[in-house]
Amino acid sequence: MKTFCGRANPTTGAMEWLEEDESYDYHQEIARSRYADMLHDKDRNVKYYQGIRAAVSRVKERGEKAIVLDIGTGTGLLSMMAASAGADFCYAVEVFRPMANAAVKIVEKNGFSDKIKVINKYSTEVTVGPDGDMQCRANILVTELFDTELIGEGALPTYEHAHKHLVQEGCEAVPHRATVYVQLVESRRMWSWNKLFPVRVEAEDGEKIIVSPSEMENCPGVPSVCDIQLNQMPSSDFTILSDVVTMFSVDFSKPVRSASTCYRVQLEAIKSGKAQIVLSWWDIDMDPSGKINCTMAPYWVKPTSALQWRDHWMQCVYFLPNEEAVSQGENVYLTAYRDEYSLWYKLQKAREEENKADVRVESPVCRCQAHLLWNRPRFGELNDQNRTCQYIKSLVKVLKTDSVCLCISDGSLLPVLAHYLGAKQVFTIENSAVSCSVMGKFLKANHLEDKIKILEARPESLTSSHLEDKKISVLLGEPFFTTSLLPWHNLYFWYARTAVTMHLASDVTVLPQSASLHMMIVEFQDLWRIRSPCGTCEGFDVRTMDDMIKNSLNFRESKEAEPHPLWEYPCKSLSDPQEVLTFDFRRTVPQHCLSAEGSLNLLRKGKSHGAVLWMEYHLTAGISVNTGLTQISNDKGNCEWNPHCKQAVYFFSSVIDSETQTDLPSAVTYAINFDPKTGEITMDFKLL
């Protein structure tokens, strides 16, 4: 069986669907899974074990056999906990075949084959009866079906089906209940991920303001939750407007309804401000008494408790449809709407009666198309006035009154900046119907339809008639393309520049004039856990899973870097940052490979978890835009990162701990290769 995998092609700026062997998809899913992260979550594991022991005891005290149903078993860990706690039999359901096969091996290795049956099916396909997958209904239901939003992985319909068909009435459930909490805040930083603020431009003939179309101003955005490591958000970046309140709870030991519904709470504003954002998280009680509790609460809610780092469960940011001014002491009503898989919120000043059984409010859908073109970090980037100033300063340097500009980027404001700063004529190539539509609305809202010409054409198919027989004197790009995943994918600008060479004046100015790839060796505070072997977990041997992940990571001959927003994942630098490759946009893409070899000295003690790579764009002499490291903030080497971009992380397969090295400093050697035919960068590292 073949499978198709989407991959960004940096040479064409497009997503391409490559035919891969079925095993490729499996290996990708395993390699990028969060199984290791979950097994490193000590707090989660300990509390599940405590809850399972307590549930088995309660059933035994009633004189019943303890029959466990474990839905989404993964490695079989929770079933093994149940078996070792005295359960008579466990049915462990896992739909992902490679994981189910691993669970069978792990269960056997730990000596529980006679107590645990692994069922490789969706739980909704499991049969009960003498000839069924399960001999009888279970009286203990154990699951770990939750995502950051709690219900996004289909927990509610799964529970609903299990109660109807797979477990006894009045069964014990671990976890017993989940509770969702909310808090109302004002945050210019978070709000900037969903709305475009007016952009101010100081031009020779006075200040100009780029405004959004009203359609965008009033658009609720996209329905998907914004899940982040809220513990990395400084308290100075938001203002708390309400106390934390319980939005709703779900009791998993009773029948669960997945049908759409809503929940309403009354909030009192503890401060005056603009209600823009609902912050949300949940906790789970593993037992009916609520003594065994696992919480996702952020640092300011439980400042005394030690925070457990997790990447599989984070916190949620929900954008209200519109910002609403609230006054201290004022009562407002917050409504949470949910369907089977997602939640969204609405704030009202006065109570409006609504029939809960007949919820007709639709989830937020982007109608302005800008939220389809720009993701949330991109909104933040466009709203970054300091970054915009760098572009304005460089444009002022290069533009003349007779400049003819061509912009190549997806949904960029550069064409408008160039026009306001005095360019004679501006063309912009938009790669998709969506970016054409969004830019058209922008130009209309700013009365620039006849000043800037949108070209819906591929760079290689551009003709002189597109450009009204003019030669381009200034070629512009941020560069930003929506298909880019890794920092160097935006080098598509270089390929586009090469494709339009015949339309460029002999003395053309290219902005940015060049880009450079930078690299640094780091120690992560926590992110290393997603790639680190577990060995044993709560006394159970899970090395089979470690081997499976390692095998999948090595499935490709060379390991690949992966994108991560490092502002959410603290790390410290062990080496100085180093420039490793330069790409000169003033010239066309070369035929030969660009490569660099060298070494990075480790200047600080620590564990070398991996290398971080990012791009820096040199707009004009002395003016640059950096997509990665913004500064190393202290002697300890703590790093600050550009919050609008994902950086590339290459995890080392073995970690060198320079704490234990006596002959410091050691070093890391590297070999980096850019292949112009594919636009990809390969890399190899050796720890000395």
Side-chain angles (χ1 to χ4, degrees), residues 199-215:
V199 179
R200 300 181 183 280
V201 186
E202 288 296 338
E204 278 194 355
D205 52 347
E207 186 185 61
K208 304 286 171 79
I209 299 177
I210 306 173
V211 297
S212 300
S214 59
E215 193 181 347

Side-chain angles (χ1 to χ4, degrees), residues 521-522 528 531-533 550 553-554 559 574 602 606-611 650-658 667-668 685-688:
I521 309 302
V522 303
W528 60 270
R531 289 289 162 270
S532 177
K550 190 169 190 293
L553 286 167
N554 295 335
K559 279 177 51 180
L574 299 185
L602 299 180
K607 291 181 168 66
S608 300
H609 288 132
Y650 184 100
F651 288 100
F652 297 153
S653 49
S654 59
V655 172
I656 282 233
D657 186 353
S658 55
V668 175
F685 296 91
K686 288 192 174 58
L687 301 162
L688 297 184

Side-chain angles (χ1 to χ4, degrees), residues 45 57 69 115 140 158 181 184 206 254 399 411 420 424 445 457 465 471 519 568 579 631 663 681:
N45 300 336
S57 295
L69 171 62
K115 287 282 189 83
I140 299 175
T158 303
Y181 300 93
L184 204 57
K254 298 191 172 89
L399 289 177
Y420 281 155
K424 181 181 178 186
S465 61
K471 289 287 186 189
M519 181 174 73
E568 293 184 57
E579 183 179 306
Q631 67 166 336
D663 52 346
I681 288 178

Side-chain angles (χ1 to χ4, degrees), residues 161-284:
H161 176 270
H163 276 288
K164 281 180 184 166
H165 303 287
L166 305 176
V167 297
Q168 296 174 18
E169 192 179 336
C171 74
E172 300 288 343
V174 183
H176 178 79
R177 90 174 60 78
T179 306
V180 172
Y181 300 93
V182 293
Q183 189 167 33
L184 204 57
V185 303
E186 173 181 351
S187 171
R188 183 176 171 84
R189 177 176 176 187
M190 289 185 255
W191 195 238
S192 79
W193 300 340
N194 192 49
K195 301 282 182 193
L196 194 71
F197 302 155
V199 179
R200 300 181 183 280
V201 186
E202 288 296 338
E204 278 194 355
D205 52 347
E207 186 185 61
K208 304 286 171 79
I209 299 177
I210 306 173
V211 297
S212 300
S214 59
E215 193 181 347
M216 194 186 298
E217 289 280 304
N218 301 319
C219 184
V222 286
S224 59
V225 66
C226 177
D227 53 341
I228 62 167
Q229 294 282 358
L230 209 45
N231 287 318
Q232 297 310 315
M233 182 70 68
S235 56
S236 56
D237 278 349
F238 59 96
T239 303
I240 291 171
L241 300 180
S242 81
D243 290 329
V244 176
V245 298
T246 299
M247 197 73 228
F248 65 92
S249 285
V250 185
D251 184 335
F252 297 125
S253 68
K254 298 191 172 89
V256 170
R257 280 175 56 81
S258 65
S260 298
T261 188
C262 67
Y263 312 91
R264 182 178 288 108
V265 293
Q266 182 176 317
L267 298 172
E268 182 184 331
I270 57 174
K271 205 168 189 178
S272 297
K274 291 177 192 161
Q276 298 167 325
I277 308 284
V278 176
L279 300 181
S280 179
W281 57 91
W282 48 265
D283 66 19
I284 42 180

Side-chain angles (χ1 to χ4, degrees), residues 2 103 181 185 292 320 379 404 432 504 507 536:
K2 295 287 185 184
Y181 300 93
V185 303
I292 311 167
L320 289 170
F379 265 96
V404 178
S432 68
L504 305 179
D507 59 346
T536 60

Side-chain angles (χ1 to χ4, degrees), residues 242 289 308 384:
S242 81
S289 72
Q308 168 71 42
D384 184 341

Side-chain angles (χ1 to χ4, degrees), residues 71 123-124 141 143-147 149-164 176-180 248-263 337-344:
I71 300 178
S123 64
T124 50
L141 176 57
T143 62
E144 205 281 60
L145 299 168
F146 314 115
D147 66 350
E149 200 174 18
L150 185 71
I151 63 172
E153 289 181 5
L156 296 179
T158 303
Y159 272 113
E160 187 171 36
H161 176 270
H163 276 288
K164 281 180 184 166
H176 178 79
R177 90 174 60 78
T179 306
V180 172
F248 65 92
S249 285
V250 185
D251 184 335
F252 297 125
S253 68
K254 298 191 172 89
V256 170
R257 280 175 56 81
S258 65
S260 298
T261 188
C262 67
Y263 312 91
Y337 300 91
R338 72 149 182 82
D339 54 23
E340 285 185 339
Y341 299 100
S342 60
L343 288 152
W344 60 99

